[in-house]
């Protein structure tokens, strides 16, 4: 699981932050930008498909965790999803984690 998230509103630089952070040698970023797991993931009856169409997100916890496979050696592991800024996502983050930091981009 990640230990930090980049959250923010659309068109506020989250994609740039994702790429800048991914270039750092001690930071591993998810293999998919905008997985939107905390907004879209683990519904009551998860779909059989593991990764949903773009703009929907990763639906299953095990698939979300796979986005960070092989990143155990990084000090920090993160992802960037603008939909994590929505109220539903914030409540779900409290259930799943991460136990870490948030980088918020608003402008």
């Amino acid at each position: 699981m990640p230990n930090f998230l980049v959250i923010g509103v659309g068109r506020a630089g989250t994609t740039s932050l994702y790429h800048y952070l991914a270039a750092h040698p001690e930071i591993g970023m998810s293999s998919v930008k905008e997985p939107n797991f905390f907004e879209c993931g683990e519904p009551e009856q998860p779909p059989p498909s593991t990764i949903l169409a773009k703009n929907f997100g990763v639906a299953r916890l095990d698939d979300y965790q796979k986005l960070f496979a092989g990143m155990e050696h990084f000090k920090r592991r993160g992802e960037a999803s603008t939909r994590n800024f929505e109220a539903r996502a914030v409540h779900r983050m409290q259930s799943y984690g991460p136990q870490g930091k948030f980088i918020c981009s608003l402008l």
Side-chain angles (χ1 to χ4, degrees), residues 75-101:
K75 276 186 164 179
R76 297 283 179 205
R77 292 169 305 284
E79 61 110 317
S81 296
T82 56
R83 292 177 84 179
N84 283 343
F85 199 65
E86 298 179 22
R88 179 172 183 245
V90 172
H91 292 291
R92 293 170 55 76
M93 283 182 228
Q94 293 171 340
S95 299
Y96 288 103
Q99 303 299 316
K101 309 280 183 196

Side-chain angles (χ1 to χ4, degrees), residues 26-75:
E26 295 180 353
I27 298 175
M29 295 299 287
S30 63
S31 58
V32 173
K33 186 195 177 274
E34 303 264 355
N36 297 316
F37 173 74
F38 295 105
E39 172 62 21
C40 306
E42 290 290 318
E44 317 268 306
Q45 296 182 354
S49 170
T50 56
I51 305 281
L52 297 178
K54 186 176 179 183
N55 297 327
F56 288 102
V58 176
R60 302 169 76 98
L61 178 60
D62 60 333
D63 290 323
Y64 183 69
Q65 291 170 327
K66 288 176 188 173
L67 299 179
F68 303 95
M71 294 189 187
E72 296 79 15
H73 64 284
F74 288 112
K75 276 186 164 179

Side-chain angles (χ1 to χ4, degrees), residues 4-33:
F4 79 91
L5 296 174
V6 175
I7 62 173
V9 296
R11 311 294 305 161
T14 57
T15 299
S16 293
L17 279 171
Y18 172 87
H19 291 293
Y20 298 146
L21 292 166
H24 193 283
E26 295 180 353
I27 298 175
M29 295 299 287
S30 63
S31 58
V32 173
K33 186 195 177 274

